Amino acid sequence: MDVAYICEWDKRTRTSHCPSIPLVCAWSCRNLIAFTTDQRCEEEKDVTHLIHILDTEHPWDVYSINSGHQEVITSLEWDQSGSRLLSADADGQIKCWGMKDHLANSWQSLVGSEVDGDPIVALSWLHNGVKLALHVEKSGVSSFGEKFSRVKFSPSLTLFGGKPMEGWIAVTVSGLVTVSLLKPNGQVLTATESLCRLRCRVALADIAFTGGGNIVVATCDGSSTSPVQFYKVCVSVVSEKCKIDTEILPSLFMRCTTDPARKDKFPAVTHLKFLARDMSEQVLLCASNQCSSIAECWSLRKEGLPLNNIFQQLSPAVSDKQPMILKWRILSATNELERVSAVALPKLPISLTNTDIKVANETKFYPGLGLALAFHDGNVHIVHRLSLQPMAVLYGSSLRPSDEPSLKRQRSPTPCIHFKALQMSWTSLALVGLDTQGKLSMLRVSPSMGHALDMATSLRHLLFLLEYCMVTGYDWWDILLHVQPGMVHNLVEKLNEEYTRQNAALQQVLSTRILAMKASLCKLSPSTVTRVCDYHAKLFLISISCTLKSLLRPHVLNTPDKSPGDRLTEICNKFTDSDIDKVMINLKTEEFVLDMPTLQSLQQLIQWVGDFILYLLASLPNQGSSFRPGHSFLRDGASLGTLREMMVMIRIWGLLKPSCLPVYTATSDTQDSMSLLFRLLTRLWLCCRDESHPCEPDEALIDECCLLPSQLLIPNMDWLPLGDGIISRLQSKLPLRLQFGKSPAAPSYAAVQYEAYTRSPTQPKIDHLRRLHLGTFPTEPCKSCTRCGSVTMLKSPNKATAVKQWEQRWIKTCLCGGLWRKMPHSYS
């Protein structure tokens, strides 16, 4: 475990950000981090409770929200999609926040609920019934269906037809449980009920869900001599009103209080956590005094209730059906530890065939089996979530600046800096901590969990988690933290190998996601930058092809099963003639008829297709160089076939609207550029059409491609957007020190590495999705992708239906799957 970067506030401003008490933090599956601070101004005594949201790739670009909470914020919770955030305060107010215009750095309050004057101590979204289990013991099998299986899990509440109903549940300090349901029409149904008839103070609480759709709430009054109570909560809707039913479950006393030697040593329960939101059978408890703590892990089990011999003799049939009861049993406990300040639990749903500690210890090097404990001395420990045995340690000294004098640290009378809030990423490979000075620290957590592993095993663990993110759609930034340049090639090859083993339907679903994943991996190595260009181009090509084909409409409504796009693919594969007009006459041209404004609005996308084909054919004579962008397309039969289909489609549209055709600068006015390029493209496609037996292009084809620069002006392709992310700078083991609100200067080696494939900052900007030129100093508001750095305008300059259809594909995310963030009004 080591530090990746540390981000802190500017201390010279007139307003100061100080950690709130309690300090809360939440990490979403899209690698967005939300945390709280209290802001104090020098002239005013009022305190503003702020919520800060940042993207882990751009931690300095923090979006601060004046939450409007009158009291300190006690809870933050992301939903399972990572796009909405709940906040609750000590006055009983709950707010739901959502992205404004789908921008990661622009948020607004959507709806809310409140329990007047009753502080919220626990908060959670209702479960949507989606649960995926990772089978560690099957990590070597090829099928994703065996590695990651869907677990039968009922939603907390369902609408008509079984659709899960959205909402949240909260527990208050006075022992009330409140549930708010979001109706499809935007209304909020809220109900409040007491957890039990005899209400008592609740200092700590946590919420978990069962597979049957019920909710389990654990509560404690803060004293270790009091029992930890558990309640089953059932939510239903009756006559358009929310109804809550509660039931008492078995309770427990901490083991440290029943031991005579330590009965009064740990008077306070400081932490109460279920090991997972969807695992109500296991709970972690921590009791503390002023100097030390002890942690215990408990499990709820079904046990047989023994019968007296008298009843067994009276009714032998009863003894065969032994009654079962639920009982809490302690799994493990730690020795006396330094005082615990924060706990972070893994979100990775690892499935173990046996929860016995001995079996669990045999697989404890897998990610997701460790939980994090932060201590008041500044250290952080990763311990096994069942046995609580130490697995990895980060010493607090590594979080201090290296230039700070050691004597100053030793003589300092102030308390040691330590983490007040901890959160693990969704793959358990990263840990974020907020300390007593308000600094945010990003920590790497090794996949080996502190154990020495060979390179092959480490690669297998990273590959397993990349596959998990591919299947679930979660962001994989935290996995990239552990990828070194020497691993990139093997990871990409192994990932592609596992992908090709899946069935055709699953490959089609994951086709764009794996391209985005491979592009992000290749960015981490200087030797694979050109492959990043190819992956981005392929993503763009697939998107254009799907959009253009979707515009085709059958001439007769009662058509056969195949769509016009499918028939276009079939005919282009069947007729291998190099004359574009001979292929075109085999199509029903009436299916390609579009209105003139639509065709004209697509010209920029059509131009990109034409320029890309010309560039590929002109680069064929240099096919031996893998350091040129476009190299992989020259052997990709599927992509060349797609380009060939699009040329046929564009040729037909050119007969209807000549101005929509791609524009080429030719040396001869009589030359038919489209026919020339289609003929060369078809000959190249025939060479690699059969991917199992590809053949080399003949000399005549290469000679003709050599003549292209003398016949047509070869365009310059905009391969890569100029990204300013931090992931490529974190490969060193030395932590980066950043400042909120201040973008770090890009390292010089990065500029040299991407110089040949990106536009320099002084060149005119381009809209990477619309392929429009924005000028050197764009005046239109723009947004950029948090991952690849693609830039596009916030508002559409074109009102055509076809353009809107293209833009709707990217309204929420970029073509690489990254979130959008708003850029300054005028960037340069």
Side-chain angles (χ1 to χ4, degrees), residues 570-577 582-583 586 644 678 682 685 689:
E570 182 182 12
I571 289 174
C572 287
N573 287 332
K574 181 179 179 181
F575 296 94
T576 59
D577 201 292
K582 290 183 179 179
V583 177
N586 295 286
R644 190 168 175 266
F678 185 84
T682 300
W685 169 66
R689 181 185 182 186

Side-chain angles (χ1 to χ4, degrees), residues 345-390:
L345 297 172
K347 301 180 179 71
L348 201 63
I350 293 289
S351 175
L352 297 176
T353 55
N354 190 342
T355 57
D356 184 76
I357 297 176
K358 182 178 178 181
V359 177
N361 280 335
E362 294 174 359
T363 58
K364 65 182 178 182
F365 53 84
Y366 281 96
L369 291 185
L371 58 90
L373 299 176
F375 300 96
H376 276 257
D377 61 0
N379 296 340
V380 179
H381 290 196
I382 301 292
V383 300
H384 195 277
R385 70 178 185 183
L386 296 179
S387 66
L388 300 181
Q389 294 297 315

Side-chain angles (χ1 to χ4, degrees), residues 90-231:
D91 195 34
Q93 190 177 30
I94 301 173
K95 291 187 177 185
C96 176
W97 304 87
M99 293 184 191
K100 187 178 180 180
D101 298 326
H102 307 286
L103 298 173
N105 58 353
S106 182
W107 294 77
Q108 59 184 348
S109 178
L110 304 175
V111 291
S113 63
E114 60 181 340
V115 185
D116 288 338
D118 207 350
I120 305 295
V121 293
L123 178 68
S124 175
W125 289 89
L126 296 180
H127 205 285
N128 61 3
V130 177
K131 183 180 179 182
L132 198 69
L134 280 76
H135 299 280
V136 172
E137 70 280 1
K138 296 182 180 179
S139 60
V141 301
S142 58
S143 172
F144 286 172
E146 295 183 39
K147 295 179 184 179
F148 320 109
S149 64
R150 181 77 177 265
V151 179
K152 187 177 180 181
F153 209 90
S154 299
S156 303
L157 191 63
T158 56
L159 295 166
F160 179 77
K163 182 181 179 181
M165 193 169 190
E166 295 182 321
W168 57 82
I169 179 173
V171 181
T172 71
V173 75
S174 67
L176 293 178
V177 57
T178 177
V179 175
S180 298
L181 305 177
L182 301 178
K183 296 181 68 175
N185 60 5
Q187 294 181 346
V188 180
L189 293 179
T190 302
T192 303
E193 187 63 60
S194 177
L195 282 171
C196 60
R197 291 182 180 179
L198 184 62
R199 289 170 60 184
C200 58
R201 178 178 178 271
V202 175
L204 300 172
D206 200 18
I207 301 167
F209 302 90
T210 67
N214 295 322
I215 305 168
V216 177
V217 176
T219 66
C220 178
D221 65 2
S223 173
S224 60
T225 58
S226 301
V228 179
Q229 301 279 4
F230 295 86
Y231 305 91

Side-chain angles (χ1 to χ4, degrees), residues 381-432:
H381 290 196
I382 301 292
V383 300
H384 195 277
R385 70 178 185 183
L386 296 179
S387 66
L388 300 181
Q389 294 297 315
M391 301 165 66
V393 179
L394 176 75
Y395 295 102
S397 57
S398 60
L399 299 170
R400 302 189 186 100
S402 57
D403 56 351
E404 183 180 343
S406 58
L407 284 175
K408 181 180 177 182
R409 293 201 298 263
Q410 292 173 4
R411 294 179 180 178
S412 176
T414 57
C416 185
I417 300 173
H418 59 273
F419 290 123
K420 296 291 289 182
L422 279 181
Q423 278 287 319
M424 270 191 170
S425 69
W426 283 64
T427 62
S428 302
L429 291 186
L431 189 67
V432 67

